[in-house]
Amino acid sequence: MPRSTRDADVSHDLRQAIHRTGYYPEVVADGVFSAAGGEEVLSYFVHHETTFDHEEVRRHLTALLLTPTRLVIAHTDEHPGDDMLPEPYTSTTTEAVTLTSIRTVVVTRMVANPTAGVAPPAEAVLTIGWGGVGRVDLEPAGCSDPSCEADHGYTGTIAGDDYTLRVSAAAEGADAVSALLAFSDSLSARTRG
């Protein structure tokens, strides 16, 4: 699933990982390597996920790759035919972010029964921020006087939330959690200022 060899091109391993998922491997690989723009792949993570949408089963594949200069995120979805495209189809969306643009790499590790000592994380969440997407949460402001009827305006927070990926040992396996953490380590090492 993941590979990260210090400054070695792991493009071949990434292609094999995409093919192992069995999820439209040629289509996914075409989108992923097109977005890589011919750069070496230093580290990657492939996440194949199945979701349930009402009575339909939908599959998704996300590939994160780290090149010497960029983070590339490629996400492929499958769709049933519709009015525009009557046959089933896939859509692949890619985003390439320069490493110098990345502001935050947040990694959350969930370890079950921590009183028993160090154990492999049961779940991991990777959140990457580069200022492309922001979220504003507002709520009416108030004061401590329960009889006050004045309008105090609004209070809130602005949070950067460009990309988040969650992997759990229960759903994807312990190897997937370890792989996401290895990719996170590689990304963190490359984005330190």
Side-chain angles (χ1 to χ4, degrees):
M1 184 172 294
R3 280 289 172 242
S4 176
T5 305
R6 180 165 233 148
D7 296 335
D9 189 357
V10 293
S11 297
H12 178 73
D13 295 339
L14 170 58
R15 190 175 298 276
Q16 287 182 327
I18 290 169
H19 278 269
R20 274 194 303 276
T21 69
Y23 181 78
Y24 309 110
E26 292 82 15
V27 172
V28 171
D30 183 57
V32 166
F33 286 101
S34 175
E39 283 193 277
E40 291 179 306
V41 177
L42 303 177
S43 183
Y44 68 86
F45 179 75
V46 174
H47 184 244
H48 185 206
E49 180 180 27
T50 302
T51 57
F52 300 94
D53 184 16
H54 299 288
E55 295 180 9
E56 292 183 32
V57 175
R58 300 212 179 208
R59 298 180 302 160
H60 313 269
L61 190 137
T62 301
L64 306 176
L65 47 140
L66 183 61
T67 74
T69 63
R70 298 176 302 146
L71 165 69
V72 177
I73 302 169
H75 183 81
T76 302
D77 288 305
E78 63 182 352
H79 308 276
D82 56 30
D83 293 340
M84 296 294 290
L85 295 169
E87 294 183 33
Y89 63 96
T90 62
S91 62
T92 300
T93 304
T94 60
E95 183 169 7
V97 180
T98 59
L99 294 178
T100 56
S101 298
I102 295 175
R103 296 177 184 169
T104 59
V105 177
V106 180
V107 180
T108 305
R109 304 162 186 251
M110 282 66 91
V111 175
N113 194 16
T115 58
V118 177
E123 192 171 300
V125 179
L126 169 63
T127 301
I128 307 164
W130 55 89
V133 177
R135 184 181 70 244
V136 178
D137 294 321
L138 294 175
E139 61 183 41
C143 69
S144 60
D145 182 359
S147 61
C148 179
E149 294 182 16
D151 181 356
H152 295 284
Y154 288 87
T155 186
T157 59
I158 298 174
D161 196 15
D162 291 308
Y163 184 77
T164 299
L165 180 64
R166 175 185 168 267
V167 177
S168 76
E172 290 93 4
D175 288 345
V177 175
S178 296
L180 181 61
L181 292 172
F183 178 82
S184 301
D185 290 349
S186 295
L187 180 60
S188 290
R190 288 254 170 202
T191 55
R192 61 181 168 207

